[in-house]
Amino acid sequence: MRMALGVSYNGQGYNGWQSQLSGNTVQDKLEAALGRFATHTVSTLCAGRTDSGVHGLMQVVHFDTPLRRPNASWVRGTNTFLPPDIAVQWAQQVPDSFHARASATARRYAYVLLQSPVRPSVESGRVGWVHTPLNGDAMRQAASILLGEHDFTSFRASACQAKTPVKTIKRIEITDSRAVAPHPELGWSPCYWRFEFEANAFLHHMIRNIMGCLIAVGSGKQPVSWMQSVLNARSRDAAAPTFSPDGLYFLGPVYDAEWKLPESTPPFAWLP
């Protein structure tokens, strides 16, 4: 029997998703909890691996098991053995042909960024940070250059294992939550920015490298046209440094309706 789970996690304390010898990854913790509940070894496959410090709002995994239990029992039972910063949100039996990664038609991420002269405190590890004002219009124009199918080699980490750097970005949305009035001493408003990305797939560090470039444009360090130059260069050296993982959230994969899975991305209004 094949089961699918929706899993959320705070990635601050873990060395990413993928299992490592240290055992300190989200996959390691999830498989250990599933093994204790199911009383047999469980190996999971996920929709999209996340790096150290990156959060997951709705990671989807699948695994095979001979154990038959109600869906609610898989949720409650597995959560009993998970640390408090990882939680199974739903469980559902799926056909053997379902594959958490291969069946996904797209993946979605959000990056939450604090624009403030003072570093984050209570949001530490949950938001990225810039201490200078950003130009939203410039960043949106630069982002539009990346839409569609392109060779994203310039935004690819050297350790990336993807077979091809050619990916299709379907959507980039950039919004901000401006303060009512500017800071009296700064003359500009501290605020939160939210960047949402949807693509058929992403390369290793692709979003964090894009974020570095968008912030370079938004802060005025580079013109909008520079983004096209970076894309055309097909060289990692042409782009900005990789940005912090702190504000990056995996919103979840997109699946065809035929799989009848629960909504992959839950509301997250608690995020700025």
Side-chain angles (χ1 to χ4, degrees):
M1 181 177 71
R2 179 157 293 185
M3 293 294 299
L5 303 178
V7 185
S8 61
Y9 51 89
N10 183 323
Q12 285 179 262
Y14 301 103
N15 301 326
W17 169 268
Q18 190 172 12
S19 181
Q20 297 180 18
L21 291 177
S22 67
N24 188 41
T25 71
V26 181
Q27 183 179 19
D28 288 321
K29 301 300 183 183
L30 177 63
E31 290 182 351
L34 283 168
R36 293 181 67 181
F37 174 70
T39 66
H40 68 79
T41 301
V42 175
S43 297
T44 61
L45 283 169
C46 72
R49 291 174 290 187
T50 53
D51 295 330
S52 178
V54 176
H55 314 293
L57 287 187
M58 194 51 65
Q59 176 71 268
V60 176
V61 306
H62 80 260
F63 60 93
D64 296 323
T65 176
L67 185 67
R68 293 186 178 275
R69 292 288 186 274
N71 292 339
S73 294
W74 281 103
V75 174
R76 291 194 300 269
T78 306
N79 284 342
T80 298
F81 301 110
L82 281 170
D85 50 6
I86 305 174
V88 175
Q89 301 295 313
W90 53 261
Q92 184 167 310
Q93 184 177 350
V94 290
D96 290 346
S97 55
F98 174 80
H99 191 285
R101 182 175 299 129
S103 297
T105 59
R107 290 156 182 83
R108 297 173 291 188
Y109 282 85
Y111 196 101
V112 181
L113 180 70
L114 172 64
Q115 172 189 299
S116 171
V118 180
R119 63 170 174 79
S121 55
V122 294
E123 319 101 308
S124 177
R126 295 170 57 193
V127 297
W129 175 51
V130 292
H131 56 79
T132 55
L134 298 175
N135 183 325
D137 290 337
M139 291 191 294
R140 292 181 190 98
Q141 291 176 46
S144 69
I145 294 170
L146 303 177
L147 296 176
E149 183 180 88
H150 300 286
D151 182 327
F152 286 97
T153 296
S154 294
F155 305 96
R156 181 182 193 177
S158 59
C160 182
Q161 299 176 359
K163 294 180 179 178
T164 173
V166 177
K167 304 298 176 188
T168 302
I169 295 184
K170 302 179 178 182
R171 179 175 61 92
I172 302 177
E173 293 183 4
I174 303 174
T175 56
D176 67 312
S177 57
R178 292 284 175 184
V180 175
H183 189 285
E185 296 179 5
L186 296 173
W188 52 270
S189 302
C191 67
Y192 293 98
W193 292 86
R194 190 152 85 191
F195 302 74
E196 292 203 13
F197 302 83
E198 182 175 339
N200 63 335
F202 291 92
L203 302 168
H204 191 197
H205 286 177
M206 180 172 162
I207 294 177
R208 291 170 58 193
N209 292 333
I210 290 175
M211 284 297 304
C213 292
L214 288 174
I215 290 168
V217 172
S219 62
K221 294 179 180 178
Q222 297 290 350
V224 170
S225 59
W226 175 70
M227 187 68 85
Q228 186 68 62
S229 300
V230 172
L231 185 64
N232 293 344
R234 298 182 183 179
S235 169
R236 180 69 191 91
D237 294 336
T242 305
F243 202 64
S244 165
D246 291 353
L248 186 56
Y249 293 78
F250 182 40
L251 299 183
V254 178
Y255 295 110
D256 288 336
E258 66 177 289
W259 301 114
K260 299 179 181 179
L261 291 177
E263 176 60 39
S264 295
T265 306
F268 62 121
W270 54 271
L271 286 178

